[in-house]
Amino acid sequence: MDELEHVRVAVIGSGFGGLGAAVRLRREGITDFVVLERADSVGGTWRDNSYPGCACDVPSHLYSFSFAPNPDWPRAFSGQEHIRAYLERVTDTFGLRPHLRFGAEVRRARWDGDANRWHLTTAAGELTADVVVSATGPLSDPKIPDIPGIEDFPGRVFHSSRWDHDFDLKGKRVAMVGTGASAIQIVPSIQPEVARLTVVQRTPPWVMPRVDRGVSAAERWLHGKVPATAKARRGLLWLIREFQVGAFVRHPKLLKAAERIAANHLRRSVKDPELRARLTPDYTIGCKRILLSNTYYPALAQPNTEVVTSALSEVRGSTIVTADGTEREVDAIVFGTGFHVTDMPIGDRVTGADGRTLAEHWKDGMAALRGCAVDGFPNLLFIIGPNTGLGNSSMILMIESSLNYVADFMRTLDATGAAALQARPEAVTAWNEEMQRRAARTVWNTGGCKSWYLDANGRNTTAWPGTTAEFRRATRQLKLSEYEVLAPVAGRREAVEAVEAVS
């Protein structure tokens, strides 16, 4: 039987996290790696989400890699097509295509303790790897509620991240289930063309004005010719958001000013007092993700749009039924109901040193040392792992910090001559306890809402309770004292002790 292909590193996913990991590995002089992607192109969530109106709610110049600035962003907040094109350019600029394996969804990853390596089974075959970097992202697998009767619905049913472009919504009766970040972009995009739009809202979001504009040709020219100007723009955008963090994580009462802005935005946009009351949240702004839109409220106020303030409970033939008994005939149901964030599907596919899956290991809640490493899972690292999400800034900043950690992890493996490094259980526990202690006073925990930041046990396993600068410091360098060194190469014990002394 032929030996399986073996690589130094296997990266799972080719979104921002996976491509960033690939670039960083090459910069570290590591070229023996593959990027395993289940789809047929790069892009991650920016490939999957192609719904009408899809755009980013983080300013373009902050939503890009620091090592790959883009002077040609067309708008202050760029659309999905521009972000996806940016990721394609990053792939080509840094020579990543030879490392990409498309149609290679990871079905199983198992740690082989005898060989001290990972055995991966993918849709394209099997291979082994010394290190696995999981960059599947929290917004990759759609969450669709189990609604009685949905399987017998005669029309079209799809999730916002799996948009059915073959189905023409023009003149149709459409139910939009959910009012999150995707829904507020979809609603104003499809409202003018559908016959009837029923928005099924469980909880109204806080919506702030979207201060968007086109980036002028002069600005783009200046950023291209004088890169320092683009860097300064990025730095200013970052600094503004760093100053906002205190209100989210320490003093939620300071968010009252933002709440007044959002309330005024609603009042100006919706004149009908009854509809305005249905759209007014009863929780502290920031508890759920703050949304940005100038067109969402006006679309809801149109004659062909109805807001139902009750959860979808049943489907009877072509009729949707909400918990309050409201019935509406529809031709299509679009779910904007989010993703598997606190129960990552990759967890069921990864088996650690003790034979348990990651999902079993995390049955009481996700936890990872510095958001990257999990005890019992040697040489497995996460990009956008537990407690690394943000509520007000760019996830690219967090991704790049995690990439620093991955790079130092690889350097430490080489310096110690170890076959593997495994996070110590006590280190993971201490880190997680600190995360939960700090999260307890954040608006996500105290704001009076139920959100995807919290898991089924009410624990915040998603959001980072600090500034991006704090996370950068926490992940700048691996502390070997937080790890067990597995099977160091003979004669290298002195190297291990030297590295431990330094860390």
Side-chain angles (χ1 to χ4, degrees):
M1 188 173 178
D2 294 337
E3 284 191 15
L4 295 178
E5 176 189 13
H6 179 76
V7 294
R8 179 68 168 150
V9 183
V11 179
I12 307 175
S14 67
F16 268 100
L19 295 180
V23 172
R24 192 57 188 267
L25 288 171
R26 286 183 62 90
R27 287 189 158 190
E28 291 294 315
I30 300 171
T31 57
D32 182 19
F33 69 89
V34 294
V35 179
L36 305 173
E37 171 54 56
R38 64 185 178 186
D40 58 3
S41 61
V42 302
T45 192
W46 293 106
R47 174 200 59 236
D48 296 341
N49 286 271
S50 59
Y51 58 78
C54 184
C56 192
D57 59 4
V58 174
S60 304
H61 292 85
L62 194 58
Y63 202 79
S64 51
F65 290 121
S66 62
F67 55 79
N70 178 20
D72 294 320
W73 288 118
R75 301 197 64 80
F77 294 88
S78 290
Q80 174 263 347
E81 68 276 18
H82 301 116
I83 298 172
R84 185 178 180 186
Y86 169 77
L87 290 173
E88 292 282 0
R89 286 198 300 276
V90 167
T91 301
D92 291 327
T93 299
F94 291 93
L96 304 182
R97 300 231 175 249
H99 301 279
L100 293 169
R101 303 282 179 86
F102 294 124
E105 179 177 9
V106 174
R107 294 172 175 167
R108 187 183 181 197
R110 176 181 55 82
W111 176 252
D112 183 345
D114 294 328
N116 281 315
R117 59 178 50 171
W118 285 95
H119 185 122
L120 296 100
T121 302
T122 80
E126 299 182 40
L127 72 157
T128 59
D130 292 331
V131 177
V132 170
V133 177
S134 177
T136 56
L139 307 182
S140 57
D141 290 87
K143 196 172 196 176
I144 298 178
D146 185 14
I147 306 296
I150 191 74
E151 66 278 0
D152 297 320
F153 179 68
R156 295 293 183 97
V157 178
F158 50 92
H159 190 273
S160 59
S161 66
R162 303 292 186 269
W163 195 266
D164 188 346
H165 291 280
D166 295 328
F167 184 64
D168 187 3
L169 293 178
K170 188 174 182 179
K172 301 294 195 303
R173 300 164 300 177
V174 181
M176 178 75 234
V177 183
T179 52
S182 299
I184 73 156
Q185 295 179 341
I186 294 170
V187 166
S189 298
I190 67 173
Q191 175 271 320
E193 65 180 36
V194 302
R196 184 74 182 169
L197 179 58
T198 302
V199 178
V200 181
Q201 169 191 278
R202 286 195 307 176
T203 309
W206 282 107
V207 181
M208 297 279 280
R210 184 180 179 87
V211 187
D212 191 17
R213 64 174 182 84
V215 180
S216 69
E219 289 175 277
R220 296 198 297 271
W221 178 87
L222 183 63
H223 291 334
K225 295 297 183 182
V226 188
T229 60
K231 188 174 182 179
R233 184 174 187 163
R234 178 185 175 92
L236 180 60
L237 291 168
W238 167 77
L239 194 60
I240 291 171
R241 280 153 182 78
E242 290 290 273
F243 278 128
Q244 295 171 347
V245 170
F248 284 84
V249 305
R250 288 187 295 276
H251 308 292
K253 289 183 179 180
L254 295 177
L255 290 166
K256 286 295 181 183
E259 204 167 285
R260 285 194 294 271
I261 294 173
N264 288 333
H265 181 49
L266 171 59
R267 189 162 44 250
R268 288 192 303 268
S269 304
V270 178
K271 302 304 181 185
D272 179 0
E274 184 181 345
L275 176 58
R276 195 163 59 235
R278 279 183 274 162
L279 299 176
T280 301
D282 62 357
Y283 55 88
T284 303
I285 192 171
C287 182
K288 293 169 94 60
R289 185 166 180 166
I290 300 174
L291 308 181
L292 306 178
S293 179
N294 299 328
T295 55
Y296 178 62
Y297 286 147
L300 296 183
Q302 296 304 308
N304 69 331
T305 305
E306 176 187 21
V307 178
V308 179
T309 57
S310 185
L312 179 61
S313 62
E314 185 182 357
V315 176
R316 299 175 191 156
S318 59
T319 302
I320 62 167
V321 184
T322 54
D324 63 359
T326 299
E327 298 184 10
R328 292 291 181 270
E329 290 261 341
V330 296
D331 304 303
I333 302 173
V334 181
F335 284 100
T337 45
F339 299 85
H340 288 276
V341 176
T342 59
D343 55 341
M344 295 183 189
I346 192 71
D348 291 317
R349 307 182 184 195
V350 179
T351 303
D354 63 358
R356 290 193 301 166
T357 66
L358 189 60
E360 291 169 334
H361 185 76
W362 277 346
K363 62 181 174 54
D364 295 324
M366 300 189 303
L369 176 62
R370 302 179 190 273
C372 295
V374 183
D375 53 302
F377 294 79
N379 283 9
L380 173 66
L381 296 169
F382 282 91
I383 308 296
I384 314 184
N387 287 114
T388 61
L390 296 177
N392 76 311
S393 192
S394 173
M395 280 305 302
I396 312 307
L397 302 170
M398 303 295 280
I399 288 171
E400 288 198 34
S401 293
S402 294
L403 297 180
N404 290 340
Y405 197 78
V406 169
D408 202 50
F409 187 97
M410 299 304 298
R411 292 189 210 110
T412 305
L413 276 178
D414 290 340
T416 60
L421 298 174
Q422 177 174 235
R424 294 182 182 275
E426 60 270 24
V428 178
T429 298
W431 177 264
N432 186 51
E433 287 178 348
E434 175 67 6
M435 290 298 97
Q436 297 308 312
R437 183 189 66 78
R438 293 179 61 180
R441 62 181 179 179
T442 66
V443 69
W444 307 305
N445 287 49
T446 64
C449 74
K450 182 180 179 182
S451 75
W452 55 267
Y453 295 120
L454 308 181
D455 65 15
N457 299 314
R459 296 168 69 248
N460 190 334
T461 58
T462 303
W464 166 248
T467 65
T468 62
E470 286 180 276
F471 189 68
R472 179 63 59 96
R473 291 192 294 271
T475 52
R476 181 171 288 131
Q477 188 175 31
L478 179 145
K479 292 185 177 181
L480 195 57
S481 59
E482 296 179 331
Y483 284 84
E484 299 174 39
V485 179
L486 303 184
V489 176
R492 295 297 297 276
R493 183 63 241 175
E494 296 81 1
V496 176
E497 291 171 348
V499 175
E500 286 178 337
V502 171
S503 65

